Amino acid sequence: MTEERINAMRGYKATTNNPNVSQEAKQHAESMLRNEVGGNEAQEELYRARGDYEKSPTRVASGLKAAMHNPGIPESGQNKAKDKLGSDAPAE
């Protein structure tokens, strides 16, 4: 059940960020996220069920490094990833 809720949440989040979707559909998706799916509760519930209480610093750093080099991400986003990586980099 939890994974189904997470998949629904992903779909609604995608709808809210899709420029080809009407404003009415975006409002409906936001309403569903708040009222039906439970916001981030489903994702947090899945983390608890799997025992993933914290994000792995190594994986976070890897994602930020990937964002810095992804040509599909605007330069402003790449700069934010670089800044966050500098402030959140795991100690080696």
Side-chain angles (χ1 to χ4, degrees):
M1 173 70 175
T2 300
E3 290 192 34
E4 291 174 10
R5 287 175 51 207
I6 289 175
N7 287 337
M9 181 179 67
R10 288 178 182 146
Y12 290 129
K13 283 186 176 183
T15 299
T16 62
N17 293 309
N18 186 338
N20 297 322
V21 173
S22 70
Q23 194 62 33
E24 181 181 343
K26 288 181 181 186
Q27 289 173 350
H28 174 71
E30 289 174 6
S31 172
M32 293 297 288
L33 280 169
R34 280 192 308 274
N35 302 321
E36 301 295 323
V37 181
N40 289 332
E41 290 176 20
Q43 189 172 23
E44 291 169 8
E45 185 179 323
L46 183 62
Y47 284 144
R48 284 191 299 273
R50 291 182 177 167
D52 298 338
Y53 297 110
E54 295 182 24
K55 293 181 180 178
S56 165
T58 304
R59 289 187 178 192
V60 171
S62 297
L64 292 170
K65 288 178 185 176
M68 289 169 39
H69 301 289
N70 184 337
I73 295 180
E75 188 174 346
S76 62
Q78 291 177 356
N79 289 335
K80 286 180 185 178
K82 184 177 182 179
D83 292 343
K84 186 160 177 66
L85 181 63
S87 64
D88 293 345
E92 293 182 20

